[in-house]
Amino acid sequence: MKKILPIIFFTCMFIFSPISSAAIYVNNENRYSIDLPNGWSLEQESEQITNFSNAQKMDLKIITKPSNVKAHSPEYDLANLYYNTKQINQISCVNIRPDLIANQIAVCADFSQQENTKTYSDGIIAQFYYNNKLYILLFSGKQQQKEAMENDANKILKSMKFMQKSSFELYTDGQQETAQKNYEAASVDYKKALELTSNYTGAMHQLAYNYSETGEYTKAIDIMTSAINIQPNDPEYYSERGYAYFNTNDSIDAISDFSKAIELDNKEAHYYGGLGNAYAQQNNYQAAITAFEKQFLLSAKSGNSAEAQFNLAQCYEKLGYKDKDLEQYNAVLKSQDLPAEIKAKAEVRINNNWSILQEWL
């Protein structure tokens, strides 16, 4: 549930840099600062809008408002920011592009404001989310001031800083820890991100992955169920939960989740791999083969079909199709960068040593 903030007055201050004599504006309420180029000054403050201008009548508005989006993740945020930029009324945005502002994923665009059919000013708009708020920075100036306005806008955007890490920054910290298999430290970062932004489903997903990697499958199921309740149309969320169900020997719910992931995106190979494994868990090897064949067709396009071939070989072996399973095991060994464990398992089968490593089937 989102926290409802009381209506309060903004608190800000100016600090003057002795190096460039430029003013540093600090907004204590939203806990950010920007460097204002020479000649810029604060014109007006309100709860949601802070306005700056300079002697050349260039203008900067910083608009802050609730994000009002269903879920946050790097992918969702970028998509929503692009959509927001394209839907802005009364200005025509061009050169829409991703950026990074104050260490946050952002989208910038150039625009022209028009009155009737006459263009009268140019500008730059930048948007990003910081926790549960949307920040919009709107720079504008007369057409003949475009170059100077762009230079000042770039200086201000590059200078913007927040005094506290955002949920996105904590999320990226967690990803770095996860990549190093420091799952406990990563989980701390993801939980802090969720404290700041309770609907950050990207952090939920990564936290569930960590839980599964450490064998805490029930926790992974619970956190992914929360993510799915917030964002029910993300196939990766069903796949992640399906993997956890599979590892608790709940093949029925695993099949349901992998099937839902495929319904949402039928072009992703590993969803079929998960579905095939869940069917195999039920000893339904024919259904598993159908899923693994689809996994093979999709993964072969990227040259990464060894997993699907290995899965098929196991099913053929369980069904007693020795020629077919040997064909698949031999194909597996031709793959590049084959994990040592899979290579060992395939080799013992090819060498007709069927008693070794039997337990992995």
Coordinates of all heavy atoms in Angstrom, one line a residue, residues 270-346:
H270 N 13.0 -21.1 -22.6 CA 13.1 -21.7 -21.3 C 11.8 -22.0 -20.6 O 11.7 -22.8 -19.7 CB 14.1 -21.0 -20.4 CG 13.6 -19.7 -19.9 ND1 13.8 -18.5 -20.5 CD2 12.9 -19.4 -18.8 CE1 13.3 -17.5 -19.8 NE2 12.7 -18.0 -18.8
Y271 N 10.7 -21.3 -21.1 CA 9.4 -21.6 -20.5 C 9.0 -23.0 -20.9 O 8.4 -23.8 -20.1 CB 8.4 -20.6 -21.0 CG 8.6 -19.2 -20.7 CD1 8.0 -18.2 -21.5 CD2 9.5 -18.8 -19.7 CE1 8.2 -16.8 -21.2 CE2 9.7 -17.5 -19.4 CZ 9.1 -16.5 -20.2 OH 9.3 -15.2 -19.9
Y272 N 9.3 -23.4 -22.1 CA 9.0 -24.8 -22.6 C 9.9 -25.8 -21.9 O 9.5 -26.9 -21.6 CB 9.2 -24.9 -24.1 CG 8.2 -24.2 -24.9 CD1 8.4 -22.9 -25.3 CD2 6.9 -24.7 -25.2 CE1 7.5 -22.1 -26.1 CE2 6.0 -24.0 -25.9 CZ 6.2 -22.7 -26.3 OH 5.3 -22.0 -27.0
G273 N 11.1 -25.4 -21.6 CA 12.0 -26.3 -20.8 C 11.5 -26.5 -19.4 O 11.5 -27.7 -18.9
G274 N 11.0 -25.5 -18.8 CA 10.4 -25.6 -17.4 C 9.1 -26.5 -17.5 O 8.9 -27.4 -16.6
L275 N 8.3 -26.3 -18.5 CA 7.1 -27.1 -18.7 C 7.4 -28.6 -18.9 O 6.8 -29.5 -18.3 CB 6.3 -26.6 -19.9 CG 4.9 -27.3 -20.2 CD1 4.0 -27.2 -19.0 CD2 4.3 -26.7 -21.4
G276 N 8.4 -28.8 -19.7 CA 8.9 -30.2 -20.0 C 9.4 -30.9 -18.7 O 9.0 -32.1 -18.5
N277 N 10.1 -30.2 -17.9 CA 10.6 -30.7 -16.7 C 9.5 -31.1 -15.7 O 9.5 -32.1 -15.0 CB 11.6 -29.8 -16.0 CG 13.0 -29.9 -16.6 OD1 13.5 -31.0 -16.8 ND2 13.6 -28.8 -17.0
A278 N 8.5 -30.2 -15.7 CA 7.3 -30.4 -14.8 C 6.5 -31.7 -15.2 O 6.1 -32.5 -14.4 CB 6.4 -29.2 -14.8
Y279 N 6.4 -31.8 -16.6 CA 5.7 -33.0 -17.0 C 6.5 -34.3 -16.7 O 6.0 -35.3 -16.4 CB 5.5 -32.9 -18.5 CG 4.2 -32.2 -18.9 CD1 4.3 -31.1 -19.8 CD2 3.0 -32.5 -18.4 CE1 3.1 -30.4 -20.2 CE2 1.8 -31.8 -18.8 CZ 1.9 -30.8 -19.6 OH 0.8 -30.1 -20.0
A280 N 7.9 -34.2 -16.9 CA 8.7 -35.3 -16.6 C 8.7 -35.7 -15.1 O 8.8 -36.9 -14.8 CB 10.2 -35.0 -17.0
Q281 N 8.4 -34.7 -14.3 CA 8.3 -35.0 -12.8 C 7.1 -35.8 -12.6 O 7.0 -36.6 -11.6 CB 8.2 -33.6 -12.1 CG 8.4 -33.7 -10.6 CD 8.5 -32.3 -10.0 OE1 7.5 -31.6 -10.0 NE2 9.6 -32.0 -9.4
Q282 N 6.1 -35.8 -13.4 CA 4.9 -36.6 -13.3 C 5.0 -37.9 -14.1 O 4.1 -38.7 -14.2 CB 3.7 -35.8 -13.9 CG 3.3 -34.6 -13.1 CD 2.0 -34.0 -13.7 OE1 1.7 -34.1 -14.9 NE2 1.3 -33.2 -12.9
N283 N 6.2 -38.2 -14.6 CA 6.5 -39.3 -15.5 C 5.7 -39.3 -16.8 O 5.5 -40.3 -17.4 CB 6.2 -40.6 -14.7 CG 7.1 -40.8 -13.5 OD1 8.3 -40.4 -13.5 ND2 6.6 -41.4 -12.4
N284 N 5.3 -38.1 -17.2 CA 4.5 -38.0 -18.4 C 5.5 -37.6 -19.5 O 5.6 -36.4 -19.9 CB 3.4 -36.9 -18.3 CG 2.5 -36.8 -19.5 OD1 2.8 -37.4 -20.5 ND2 1.4 -36.0 -19.3
Y285 N 6.3 -38.5 -19.9 CA 7.5 -38.2 -20.8 C 7.1 -37.8 -22.2 O 7.8 -37.1 -22.9 CB 8.4 -39.4 -20.8 CG 9.0 -39.7 -19.4 CD1 8.7 -40.9 -18.7 CD2 9.8 -38.8 -18.8 CE1 9.2 -41.1 -17.5 CE2 10.4 -39.0 -17.6 CZ 10.0 -40.2 -16.9 OH 10.5 -40.4 -15.6
Q286 N 5.9 -38.3 -22.7 CA 5.5 -37.9 -24.0 C 5.2 -36.4 -24.1 O 5.5 -35.7 -25.0 CB 4.3 -38.8 -24.5 CG 4.6 -40.2 -24.8 CD 5.5 -40.4 -26.0 OE1 5.8 -39.4 -26.7 NE2 5.9 -41.6 -26.3
A287 N 4.4 -36.0 -23.0 CA 4.1 -34.5 -22.9 C 5.4 -33.7 -22.8 O 5.6 -32.6 -23.3 CB 3.2 -34.3 -21.8
A288 N 6.4 -34.3 -22.0 CA 7.6 -33.6 -21.8 C 8.4 -33.5 -23.1 O 9.0 -32.4 -23.4 CB 8.5 -34.4 -20.7
I289 N 8.4 -34.6 -23.9 CA 9.1 -34.5 -25.2 C 8.5 -33.4 -26.1 O 9.3 -32.7 -26.7 CB 9.0 -35.9 -25.9 CG1 10.0 -36.9 -25.1 CG2 9.4 -35.8 -27.3 CD1 9.8 -38.3 -25.6
T290 N 7.2 -33.3 -26.1 CA 6.6 -32.3 -26.9 C 7.1 -30.9 -26.5 O 7.4 -30.0 -27.3 CB 5.0 -32.3 -26.8 OG1 4.6 -33.6 -27.2 CG2 4.4 -31.2 -27.6
A291 N 7.1 -30.6 -25.2 CA 7.6 -29.3 -24.7 C 9.1 -29.1 -25.0 O 9.5 -28.1 -25.4 CB 7.4 -29.2 -23.2
F292 N 9.9 -30.2 -24.8 CA 11.4 -30.1 -25.1 C 11.7 -29.9 -26.6 O 12.6 -29.2 -26.9 CB 12.1 -31.3 -24.5 CG 12.1 -31.4 -23.0 CD1 12.0 -32.6 -22.4 CD2 12.2 -30.2 -22.2 CE1 12.1 -32.7 -21.0 CE2 12.3 -30.3 -20.9 CZ 12.2 -31.6 -20.2
E293 N 10.8 -30.5 -27.4 CA 11.0 -30.3 -28.9 C 10.8 -28.8 -29.2 O 11.5 -28.3 -30.1 CB 10.1 -31.2 -29.6 CG 10.5 -32.7 -29.6 CD 9.6 -33.6 -30.3 OE1 8.4 -33.2 -30.5 OE2 10.0 -34.7 -30.7
K294 N 9.8 -28.2 -28.6 CA 9.5 -26.8 -28.8 C 10.7 -26.0 -28.3 O 11.1 -25.0 -28.9 CB 8.2 -26.4 -28.2 CG 7.8 -24.9 -28.5 CD 7.5 -24.7 -29.9 CE 7.0 -23.3 -30.2 NZ 6.7 -23.1 -31.6
Q295 N 11.2 -26.3 -27.1 CA 12.4 -25.7 -26.5 C 13.6 -25.8 -27.5 O 14.3 -24.8 -27.7 CB 12.7 -26.3 -25.2 CG 14.0 -25.7 -24.5 CD 14.5 -26.5 -23.3 OE1 14.2 -27.7 -23.2 NE2 15.3 -25.8 -22.5
F296 N 13.7 -26.9 -28.1 CA 14.9 -27.1 -29.0 C 14.7 -26.2 -30.2 O 15.7 -25.5 -30.7 CB 14.9 -28.6 -29.5 CG 15.9 -28.8 -30.6 CD1 17.3 -28.8 -30.3 CD2 15.5 -29.0 -31.9 CE1 18.2 -29.0 -31.3 CE2 16.4 -29.2 -32.9 CZ 17.7 -29.2 -32.6
L297 N 13.5 -26.1 -30.8 CA 13.3 -25.3 -32.0 C 13.6 -23.9 -31.7 O 14.2 -23.2 -32.6 CB 11.9 -25.5 -32.5 CG 11.5 -26.9 -33.1 CD1 10.0 -27.0 -33.4 CD2 12.3 -27.1 -34.4
L298 N 13.2 -23.4 -30.6 CA 13.4 -22.0 -30.3 C 14.8 -21.7 -29.9 O 15.3 -20.6 -30.3 CB 12.4 -21.6 -29.1 CG 10.9 -21.5 -29.5 CD1 10.1 -21.3 -28.2 CD2 10.6 -20.4 -30.4
S299 N 15.4 -22.6 -29.1 CA 16.8 -22.3 -28.7 C 17.8 -22.5 -29.8 O 18.9 -22.0 -29.8 CB 17.1 -23.2 -27.5 OG 17.0 -24.6 -27.8
A300 N 17.5 -23.4 -30.8 CA 18.4 -23.6 -31.9 C 18.7 -22.4 -32.7 O 19.8 -22.2 -33.3 CB 17.9 -24.7 -32.8
K301 N 17.7 -21.5 -32.7 CA 17.9 -20.2 -33.5 C 19.1 -19.4 -32.9 O 19.7 -18.6 -33.6 CB 16.6 -19.4 -33.4 CG 15.5 -20.1 -34.1 CD 14.2 -19.3 -34.0 CE 13.0 -20.0 -34.7 NZ 11.7 -19.2 -34.5
S302 N 19.3 -19.5 -31.6 CA 20.4 -18.8 -31.0 C 21.6 -19.6 -30.8 O 22.6 -19.2 -30.1 CB 19.9 -18.2 -29.6 OG 19.6 -19.3 -28.7
G303 N 21.6 -20.9 -31.3 CA 22.8 -21.7 -31.1 C 23.0 -22.2 -29.7 O 24.1 -22.6 -29.4
N304 N 21.9 -22.3 -28.9 CA 22.0 -22.7 -27.5 C 21.0 -23.8 -27.3 O 20.2 -23.7 -26.4 CB 21.8 -21.5 -26.6 CG 22.1 -21.9 -25.2 OD1 22.9 -22.7 -24.9 ND2 21.5 -21.2 -24.3
S305 N 21.1 -24.9 -28.0 CA 20.1 -26.0 -27.9 C 20.6 -27.2 -27.1 O 19.8 -28.2 -27.0 CB 19.8 -26.5 -29.3 OG 21.0 -26.9 -30.0
A306 N 21.7 -27.1 -26.5 CA 22.3 -28.3 -25.7 C 21.3 -28.7 -24.6 O 21.1 -29.9 -24.4 CB 23.7 -28.0 -25.2
E307 N 20.8 -27.7 -23.9 CA 19.9 -28.1 -22.7 C 18.7 -28.8 -23.2 O 18.3 -29.8 -22.6 CB 19.5 -26.8 -22.0 CG 18.5 -27.1 -20.8 CD 18.0 -25.8 -20.2 OE1 18.7 -24.8 -20.3 OE2 16.9 -25.9 -19.5
A308 N 18.1 -28.4 -24.3 CA 16.9 -29.0 -24.9 C 17.2 -30.4 -25.3 O 16.5 -31.4 -25.1 CB 16.3 -28.2 -26.0
Q309 N 18.4 -30.6 -26.0 CA 18.8 -31.9 -26.5 C 19.0 -32.9 -25.3 O 18.7 -34.1 -25.3 CB 20.0 -31.8 -27.4 CG 19.7 -31.1 -28.7 CD 20.9 -30.8 -29.5 OE1 21.9 -30.2 -29.0 NE2 21.0 -31.3 -30.7
F310 N 19.6 -32.3 -24.2 CA 19.9 -33.1 -23.0 C 18.6 -33.6 -22.4 O 18.4 -34.7 -22.0 CB 20.7 -32.3 -22.1 CG 21.2 -33.1 -20.9 CD1 22.2 -34.1 -21.0 CD2 20.7 -32.8 -19.6 CE1 22.6 -34.8 -19.9 CE2 21.1 -33.5 -18.5 CZ 22.1 -34.5 -18.6
N311 N 17.6 -32.6 -22.3 CA 16.3 -33.0 -21.8 C 15.6 -34.1 -22.6 O 15.0 -35.0 -22.1 CB 15.4 -31.7 -21.7 CG 15.9 -30.7 -20.7 OD1 16.5 -31.1 -19.7 ND2 15.5 -29.5 -20.9
L312 N 15.7 -33.9 -23.9 CA 15.1 -34.9 -24.8 C 15.7 -36.3 -24.6 O 15.1 -37.3 -24.6 CB 15.2 -34.5 -26.3 CG 14.2 -33.4 -26.7 CD1 14.7 -32.8 -28.1 CD2 12.8 -34.0 -26.8
A313 N 17.1 -36.3 -24.5 CA 17.8 -37.6 -24.3 C 17.3 -38.3 -23.1 O 17.1 -39.5 -23.1 CB 19.3 -37.3 -24.3
Q314 N 17.1 -37.5 -22.0 CA 16.7 -38.2 -20.8 C 15.3 -38.8 -20.9 O 15.0 -39.9 -20.4 CB 16.6 -37.1 -19.6 CG 18.0 -36.6 -19.2 CD 17.9 -35.5 -18.2 OE1 17.9 -35.8 -17.0 NE2 17.8 -34.3 -18.6
C315 N 14.4 -38.1 -21.6 CA 13.0 -38.6 -21.8 C 13.1 -39.9 -22.7 O 12.4 -40.9 -22.4 CB 12.1 -37.6 -22.4 SG 11.7 -36.2 -21.3
Y316 N 13.8 -39.8 -23.8 CA 13.9 -41.0 -24.6 C 14.5 -42.2 -23.8 O 14.1 -43.3 -24.0 CB 14.8 -40.7 -25.8 CG 14.2 -39.8 -26.8 CD1 14.9 -38.8 -27.4 CD2 12.9 -39.9 -27.2 CE1 14.4 -37.9 -28.4 CE2 12.3 -39.0 -28.1 CZ 13.0 -38.0 -28.7 OH 12.5 -37.2 -29.6
E317 N 15.5 -41.9 -23.0 CA 16.1 -43.0 -22.2 C 15.0 -43.6 -21.2 O 14.9 -44.8 -21.1 CB 17.2 -42.5 -21.4 CG 17.9 -43.5 -20.5 CD 19.2 -43.0 -19.8 OE1 19.7 -42.0 -20.2 OE2 19.6 -43.7 -18.9
K318 N 14.2 -42.8 -20.6 CA 13.2 -43.3 -19.7 C 12.1 -44.1 -20.4 O 11.5 -45.0 -19.9 CB 12.5 -42.1 -18.9 CG 13.5 -41.4 -18.0 CD 14.0 -42.2 -16.9 CE 12.9 -42.6 -15.8 NZ 13.5 -43.3 -14.7
L319 N 11.9 -43.7 -21.7 CA 10.9 -44.5 -22.5 C 11.5 -45.7 -23.2 O 10.8 -46.4 -23.9 CB 10.3 -43.6 -23.5 CG 9.4 -42.5 -23.0 CD1 9.0 -41.5 -24.0 CD2 8.1 -43.1 -22.3
G320 N 12.8 -45.9 -23.0 CA 13.5 -47.0 -23.6 C 13.9 -46.9 -25.1 O 14.2 -47.9 -25.7
Y321 N 13.9 -45.6 -25.6 CA 14.3 -45.4 -27.0 C 15.8 -45.1 -27.0 O 16.3 -44.0 -27.1 CB 13.5 -44.2 -27.5 CG 12.0 -44.3 -27.5 CD1 11.2 -43.2 -27.4 CD2 11.4 -45.6 -27.6 CE1 9.9 -43.3 -27.4 CE2 10.0 -45.7 -27.6 CZ 9.3 -44.5 -27.5 OH 7.9 -44.6 -27.5
K322 N 16.6 -46.2 -27.0 CA 18.0 -46.1 -26.8 C 18.7 -45.4 -28.0 O 19.6 -44.5 -27.8 CB 18.7 -47.4 -26.6 CG 20.1 -47.4 -26.1 CD 20.7 -48.7 -25.7 CE 22.1 -48.6 -25.2 NZ 22.7 -49.9 -24.8
D323 N 18.3 -45.7 -29.2 CA 18.9 -45.1 -30.4 C 18.7 -43.6 -30.4 O 19.6 -42.8 -30.7 CB 18.3 -45.7 -31.7 CG 18.8 -47.1 -31.9 OD1 19.8 -47.5 -31.2 OD2 18.2 -47.8 -32.7
K324 N 17.4 -43.2 -30.0 CA 17.1 -41.7 -30.0 C 17.9 -41.0 -28.9 O 18.4 -39.9 -29.1 CB 15.6 -41.5 -29.8 CG 14.8 -41.8 -31.1 CD 13.4 -41.4 -30.9 CE 12.6 -41.6 -32.2 NZ 11.2 -41.1 -32.0
D325 N 18.0 -41.7 -27.7 CA 18.7 -41.0 -26.6 C 20.2 -40.8 -26.9 O 20.8 -39.8 -26.6 CB 18.4 -41.6 -25.3 CG 19.0 -42.9 -25.0 OD1 20.2 -43.1 -25.3 OD2 18.2 -43.8 -24.6
L326 N 20.8 -41.9 -27.5 CA 22.2 -41.8 -27.9 C 22.4 -40.7 -28.9 O 23.4 -40.0 -28.9 CB 22.7 -43.1 -28.4 CG 22.9 -44.2 -27.3 CD1 23.3 -45.5 -28.0 CD2 24.0 -43.8 -26.4
E327 N 21.5 -40.6 -29.8 CA 21.6 -39.5 -30.9 C 21.6 -38.1 -30.2 O 22.4 -37.2 -30.6 CB 20.4 -39.6 -31.8 CG 20.4 -38.5 -32.9 CD 19.2 -38.6 -33.8 OE1 18.5 -39.6 -33.7 OE2 18.9 -37.6 -34.5
Q328 N 20.8 -37.9 -29.2 CA 20.7 -36.6 -28.5 C 21.9 -36.4 -27.6 O 22.5 -35.3 -27.6 CB 19.4 -36.5 -27.7 CG 18.1 -36.5 -28.5 CD 18.0 -35.3 -29.5 OE1 18.5 -34.3 -29.2 NE2 17.4 -35.5 -30.6
Y329 N 22.4 -37.4 -26.9 CA 23.6 -37.3 -26.1 C 24.8 -36.9 -26.9 O 25.6 -36.1 -26.5 CB 23.8 -38.6 -25.3 CG 22.9 -38.8 -24.1 CD1 22.3 -40.0 -23.9 CD2 22.6 -37.8 -23.2 CE1 21.4 -40.3 -22.9 CE2 21.8 -38.0 -22.1 CZ 21.2 -39.2 -22.0 OH 20.3 -39.4 -20.9
N330 N 24.9 -37.6 -28.1 CA 26.0 -37.2 -29.0 C 25.9 -35.8 -29.5 O 26.9 -35.1 -29.6 CB 26.1 -38.2 -30.2 CG 26.8 -39.5 -29.9 OD1 28.0 -39.5 -29.6 ND2 26.1 -40.6 -29.9
A331 N 24.7 -35.3 -29.8 CA 24.5 -33.9 -30.2 C 24.9 -33.0 -29.1 O 25.5 -31.9 -29.3 CB 23.1 -33.7 -30.6
V332 N 24.6 -33.4 -27.8 CA 24.9 -32.5 -26.7 C 26.4 -32.3 -26.6 O 26.9 -31.1 -26.4 CB 24.4 -33.1 -25.4 CG1 25.0 -32.4 -24.2 CG2 22.9 -33.1 -25.3
L333 N 27.2 -33.3 -26.8 CA 28.7 -33.2 -26.6 C 29.3 -32.3 -27.7 O 30.5 -31.9 -27.6 CB 29.3 -34.6 -26.7 CG 29.0 -35.5 -25.5 CD1 29.7 -36.8 -25.6 CD2 29.5 -34.8 -24.2
K334 N 28.6 -32.0 -28.8 CA 29.1 -31.2 -29.8 C 29.0 -29.7 -29.5 O 29.5 -28.8 -30.2 CB 28.4 -31.5 -31.2 CG 28.7 -32.9 -31.7 CD 28.0 -33.1 -33.0 CE 28.2 -34.5 -33.5 NZ 27.4 -34.8 -34.7
S335 N 28.2 -29.4 -28.5 CA 27.9 -28.0 -28.1 C 29.1 -27.4 -27.5 O 29.9 -28.0 -26.8 CB 26.8 -27.9 -27.1 OG 25.6 -28.5 -27.7
Q336 N 29.3 -26.1 -27.7 CA 30.4 -25.3 -27.1 C 30.0 -24.9 -25.7 O 28.8 -24.8 -25.3 CB 30.6 -24.0 -27.9 CG 31.0 -24.3 -29.4 CD 32.3 -24.9 -29.5 OE1 33.2 -24.6 -28.8 NE2 32.5 -25.8 -30.5
D337 N 31.1 -24.7 -24.8 CA 30.9 -24.3 -23.5 C 29.9 -25.2 -22.7 O 29.0 -24.7 -21.9 CB 30.4 -22.8 -23.4 CG 31.4 -21.9 -24.1 OD1 32.6 -22.1 -24.0 OD2 30.9 -21.0 -24.8
L338 N 30.0 -26.5 -22.8 CA 29.2 -27.4 -22.2 C 29.6 -27.5 -20.7 O 30.7 -27.7 -20.4 CB 29.3 -28.8 -22.8 CG 28.2 -29.8 -22.5 CD1 26.8 -29.3 -23.0 CD2 28.5 -31.2 -23.1
P339 N 28.6 -27.4 -19.8 CA 28.9 -27.5 -18.3 C 29.5 -28.9 -18.1 O 29.1 -29.9 -18.6 CB 27.6 -27.4 -17.6 CG 26.8 -26.5 -18.6 CD 27.2 -27.0 -20.0
A340 N 30.5 -29.0 -17.2 CA 31.2 -30.3 -16.9 C 30.3 -31.3 -16.5 O 30.4 -32.5 -16.8 CB 32.3 -30.0 -15.9
E341 N 29.3 -31.0 -15.6 CA 28.3 -32.0 -15.1 C 27.5 -32.6 -16.2 O 27.4 -33.9 -16.3 CB 27.4 -31.3 -14.1 CG 26.4 -32.3 -13.5 CD 25.4 -31.6 -12.5 OE1 25.4 -30.4 -12.6 OE2 24.7 -32.3 -11.9
I342 N 27.0 -31.8 -17.1 CA 26.2 -32.3 -18.3 C 27.1 -33.2 -19.2 O 26.7 -34.2 -19.7 CB 25.5 -31.2 -19.0 CG1 24.5 -30.5 -18.1 CG2 24.9 -31.7 -20.3 CD1 23.8 -29.4 -18.8
K343 N 28.3 -32.7 -19.4 CA 29.2 -33.5 -20.3 C 29.5 -34.9 -19.7 O 29.5 -35.9 -20.4 CB 30.6 -32.7 -20.4 CG 31.6 -33.4 -21.4 CD 32.8 -32.6 -21.5 CE 33.8 -33.3 -22.4 NZ 35.0 -32.5 -22.6
A344 N 29.7 -34.9 -18.4 CA 30.0 -36.2 -17.7 C 28.8 -37.1 -17.8 O 28.9 -38.3 -18.1 CB 30.3 -36.0 -16.3
K345 N 27.6 -36.6 -17.7 CA 26.4 -37.4 -17.7 C 26.2 -38.0 -19.2 O 25.8 -39.1 -19.3 CB 25.2 -36.6 -17.3 CG 25.2 -36.3 -15.8 CD 24.1 -35.4 -15.4 CE 24.1 -35.1 -13.9 NZ 23.1 -34.1 -13.5
A346 N 26.4 -37.1 -20.1 CA 26.2 -37.5 -21.5 C 27.3 -38.6 -21.9 O 27.0 -39.6 -22.6 CB 26.3 -36.3 -22.5

